Amino acid sequence: MSASGYMMEGDEEARRLDLKTVPKAVQEHALWAGLKPGMRVADLGCGSGKTSYYLNKLAQPGGETIGVDNAKQRIEFASSTYQDDGLSFVQKDIRQDLSELGQFDFIWVRFVLEYYRSESFDIVKNVTNLLKPDGVLCLADLDYNCLTHFGLPERLESAVRGMMTMVEEKANFDPYVGRKLYAYLYDLGFRDIDMHLAPHHLIFGELNEIDAFNWKLKVTSEGVKSVYKFDQYEGGYDEFFDEFKRAFEDPRRFTYTPIILCRGKKPA
Ligand SMILES: C[S@@+](CC[C@H](N)C(=O)[O-])C[C@H]1O[C@@H](n2cnc3c(N)ncnc32)[C@H](O)[C@@H]1O
């Protein structure tokens, strides 16, 4: 596990995030949440910066977007890859005091809370301090993360479930955070709360290169390898990985993961 607490830390993480981000989905979801031209936007846990870039497009003319991430590698990638009027990036930990960033009309937190099973509500509370009264907070995360496949061999299915249980217990990962988002905004007194559910992964038939790369990095991350023993396999992790690759490349397997979005306005 990396010192930052981020389970997916690794040299290729910015590239993984960049490749798998679909601009059309980000923009559709941000428009649904209420992002409008002229807004001051924070993209917290911005990864490769691709989401910040497309959020910033929607904030124009007249808006501004700050992408925030605590990984130096991600901020360097984002700053050199995505440049635009109104767009900037800053390295910061969203669990800390963020007041020097100023106040925002729209805050977007996608695929970050899942890495903080025990602190996710405190993070939402912390980032709420950055919202102007009536400002919009949009939380987006997965539910049943990595858990819904059909067509995997039985021992592989059991290894995947075992891995996910271990990352919950030992790496503070939350495969079910999506279902908690509504209660978080409800408990903080947000108004005009709305929910949206959509497919995030929807994989059937031939595996495309992006899904192959993304899922390979998911199951080879040190965070995952270090917490699970792969007892189902005499040859340990390597044998598991070969079987995972074969099964995941089989065009008969079916995988889906729902993304759950929750948006609300900060009470005045
Ligand atoms: C799975 S990526 C999501 C990236 C982007 N939000 C997206 O939707 O594609 C999670 C990102 O959150 C960042 N992150 C994790 N913990 C963080 C923290 N405490 N403060 C700021 N960023 C954090 C990671 O470095 C990583 O880039």
Side-chain angles (χ1 to χ4, degrees):
M1 170 63 83
S2 81
S4 72
Y6 179 52
M7 192 179 81
M8 292 300 294
E9 203 49 72
D11 293 345
E12 292 202 280
E13 182 58 359
R15 198 160 83 86
R16 181 184 79 89
L17 296 172
D18 205 58
L19 284 174
K20 79 180 183 69
T21 298
V22 180
K24 188 167 169 275
V26 171
Q27 289 198 317
E28 274 175 19
H29 291 157
L31 286 171
W32 164 83
L35 177 48
K36 295 197 170 55
M39 283 184 159
R40 186 158 192 267
V41 178
D43 179 10
L44 303 181
C46 65
S48 74
K50 192 172 185 176
T51 52
S52 318
Y53 178 83
Y54 286 97
L55 295 175
N56 189 54
K57 289 279 175 214
L58 298 178
Q60 302 312 317
E64 181 194 351
T65 303
I66 303 185
V68 179
D69 204 288
N70 68 343
K72 185 166 174 269
Q73 187 239 26
R74 240 78 72 224
I75 290 299
E76 284 172 359
F77 183 100
S79 310
S80 59
T81 311
Y82 294 104
Q83 284 137 12
D84 209 355
D85 287 347
L87 179 62
S88 59
F89 295 98
V90 49
Q91 187 185 350
K92 272 197 172 296
D93 186 330
I94 64 167
R95 293 167 294 181
Q96 310 291 323
D97 176 15
L98 299 167
S99 51
E100 69 183 41
L101 297 176
Q103 295 275 291
F104 293 88
D105 303 293
F106 187 95
I107 296 181
W108 171 265
V109 189
R110 191 181 84 145
F111 305 156
V112 184
L113 299 176
E114 63 195 11
Y115 296 99
Y116 294 101
R117 192 165 67 94
S118 49
E119 304 100 329
S120 51
F121 180 65
D122 290 337
I123 292 176
V124 177
K125 234 168 45 184
N126 189 37
V127 308
T128 297
N129 293 328
L130 294 185
L131 264 186
K132 296 177 188 171
D134 274 344
V136 174
L137 176 58
C138 181
L139 308 175
D141 237 305
L142 302 177
D143 206 50
Y144 291 114
N145 198 341
C146 295
L147 286 167
T148 42
H149 312 273
F150 182 75
L152 305 188
E154 214 170 280
R155 71 171 179 171
L156 181 58
E157 180 86 42
S158 137
V160 168
R161 286 186 186 281
M163 263 166 65
M164 294 315 292
T165 302
M166 286 316 276
V167 294
E168 257 185 281
E169 287 172 6
K170 304 252 189 244
N172 204 19
F173 187 73
D174 191 346
Y176 311 102
V177 74
R179 70 188 61 176
K180 301 176 181 170
L181 305 179
Y182 172 73
Y184 287 179
L185 293 204
Y186 182 93
D187 289 347
L188 290 169
F190 274 72
R191 56 184 187 78
D192 297 344
I193 300 177
D194 201 0
M195 305 293 298
H196 182 70
L197 178 72
H200 180 61
H201 308 118
L202 188 61
I203 305 175
F204 55 94
E206 293 302 327
L207 190 62
N208 69 41
E209 271 179 41
I210 293 176
D211 286 329
F213 180 67
N214 180 26
W215 283 79
K216 178 180 157 227
L217 288 200
K218 274 178 186 281
V219 298
T220 54
S221 89
E222 285 307 319
V224 169
K225 280 159 72 177
S226 64
V227 295
Y228 191 63
K229 290 199 167 50
F230 301 95
D231 285 339
Q232 295 90 340
Y233 295 86
E234 252 176 52
Y237 177 79
D238 291 344
E239 194 182 335
F240 156 82
F241 182 66
D242 285 346
E243 187 165 66
F244 178 82
K245 198 165 167 303
R246 256 194 325 277
F248 208 59
E249 281 170 0
D250 182 343
R252 182 178 178 271
R253 68 63 201 92
F254 176 72
T255 291
Y256 75 97
T257 319
I259 178 172
I260 298 181
L261 292 110
C262 177
R263 59 80 74 194
K265 281 191 178 172
K266 182 176 174 174

